[in-house]
Amino acid sequence: MAEIGKDVMKAKDLLENGGLVAIPTETVYGLAGNALNIDAVTQIFRVKNRPQFDPLIVHVPDRIRAEQYVEYIPDKAKALADHFWPGPLTLLLKRKPIIPDLVTSGLDTVGIRCPDHALTRQLLHELSFPLAAPSANPFGYVSPTQPEHVDEQLGGHIPYILDGGICPVGIESTIVGFEHDMPVIYRLGGLSVEKIEQVAGPARVQTHSTSNPKAPGQLKSHYAPSKPLILGKAEELLQQYPAHTSGLLTFQSDFNSPYQIILSPNGSLEEAAQNLFSALRGFDKMPIDYILAEPVPDTGLGRAINDRLRRAAATREA
Ligand code: TXA
Ligand code: MG
């Protein structure tokens, strides 16, 4: 198992020596290594069992540092960065050659973001290089939102987990690229479409899977727990599946079901997002055969939550 602690200097030391450290962010925990060191980046892919066609996000402490790694920042991207960094927003920008091919899977853009978490911001300020960090889970599984989640799955492969507590946003960053000056959202996430459009004008949402997805988070099946997840209206699902062998995930409603998790009893989509992934992990540990889940209201963060539920549900269909 990995050591779990709050020692930023220890994390810095390990990273400077080419090692990997799990880091907290406001969205989910990341599996971080020096983005400019091929050996460190190679280890990230290996530990996650991640295919090399799936590019990594590069984390920087601020926009000034981001400018060292990208050719230019379009005006709308600048406006978004100024409004929402540090925060759950990843920008796809034309990369400079200093960013290794391995990080971007050969693409000419790099996903770059400035995370909003005190410990990780301190760490990024201490380092002279940016951190490549995918979510700290095995490829295809649910992202970790607590240090214990990381330790359970990757603890045997990494020396240190920087303990930043529970991630307050709970779902991954929103990924935004640009086509002819129009923002294109490739992954729904912790920053809502509405907020992006308020700052950058109308955006196109393009999160559906294709045979050659731009972001593998677009793959139809991703972010999936081990148990089959069935999406539908709770009342109807409970008539089709026995309650004593099914987990039930609801937004607000209480069905008095034996294996039930309510995401937000008072109906907050922010709270639901924060609880979503630990709920899915919780079901994997319960003595049940299925996870029955109802969608949440499809606005604000609800769109990203529903996106994750749909991808989790797609697992057994493919
Ligand atoms: O909230 C987050 O974004 C977390 C924390 C740790 O920062 N990171 C995260 O990384 O979710 P990961 O690797 O699990 O998901 C990154 C997604 C992948 O689907 C990847 O394909 C996409 O970002 N991506 C990265 N660079 C890209 C690029 N240049 N073009 C298109 N998609 C890119
Ligand atoms: Mg991931």
Side-chain angles (χ1 to χ4, degrees), residues 28-33 44-45 48 50 55-57 59 132-137:
V28 300
Y29 274 76
L31 175 63
I44 294 177
F45 282 97
K48 261 193 77 100
R50 176 172 175 126
L56 305 178
I57 294 174
H59 298 69
S135 53
N137 52 278

Side-chain angles (χ1 to χ4, degrees), residues 28-182:
V28 300
Y29 274 76
L31 175 63
N34 179 351
L36 309 181
N37 175 333
I38 302 284
D39 289 340
V41 177
T42 302
Q43 273 189 70
I44 294 177
F45 282 97
R46 198 178 307 133
V47 167
K48 261 193 77 100
N49 197 14
R50 176 172 175 126
Q52 293 198 352
F53 62 75
D54 189 358
L56 305 178
I57 294 174
V58 170
H59 298 69
V60 293
D62 50 42
R63 204 188 95 197
I64 307 297
R65 285 282 295 281
E67 283 168 7
Q68 293 179 15
Y69 307 113
V70 301
E71 293 288 359
Y72 58 87
I73 307 188
D75 286 346
K76 284 187 178 173
K78 250 181 216 153
L80 288 170
D82 287 345
H83 264 83
F84 300 117
W85 277 358
L89 166 72
T90 293
L91 295 170
L92 299 182
L93 301 171
K94 192 159 190 325
R95 68 160 158 155
K96 280 188 176 153
I98 186 177
I99 298 290
D101 275 347
L102 187 58
V103 170
T104 66
S105 306
L107 297 173
D108 65 354
T109 56
V110 57
I112 201 153
R113 97 173 184 98
C114 172
D116 188 12
H117 190 291
L119 283 183
T120 291
R121 280 176 63 73
Q122 194 191 334
L123 176 64
L124 286 167
H125 277 292
E126 292 280 346
L127 293 169
S128 60
F129 49 81
L131 292 177
S135 53
N137 52 278
F139 184 68
Y141 194 71
V142 180
S143 295
T145 55
Q146 304 174 17
E148 296 73 24
H149 295 167
V150 181
D151 199 29
E152 277 170 21
Q153 290 183 307
L154 302 185
H157 304 278
I158 54 173
Y160 198 59
I161 299 171
L162 191 58
D163 181 358
I166 295 176
C167 301
V169 174
I171 43 176
E172 304 85 350
S173 60
T174 303
I175 300 182
V176 183
F178 299 87
E179 263 176 39
H180 312 294
D181 202 38
M182 150 133 349

Side-chain angles (χ1 to χ4, degrees), residues 38 62 172 198 203 227 236 244-245 252-253 264 266 271 297 314:
I38 302 284
D62 50 42
E172 304 85 350
Q198 271 166 23
K227 302 225 165 112
E236 291 170 14
H244 63 282
T245 53
Q252 278 193 272
S253 322
S264 175
N266 51 27
E271 187 184 21

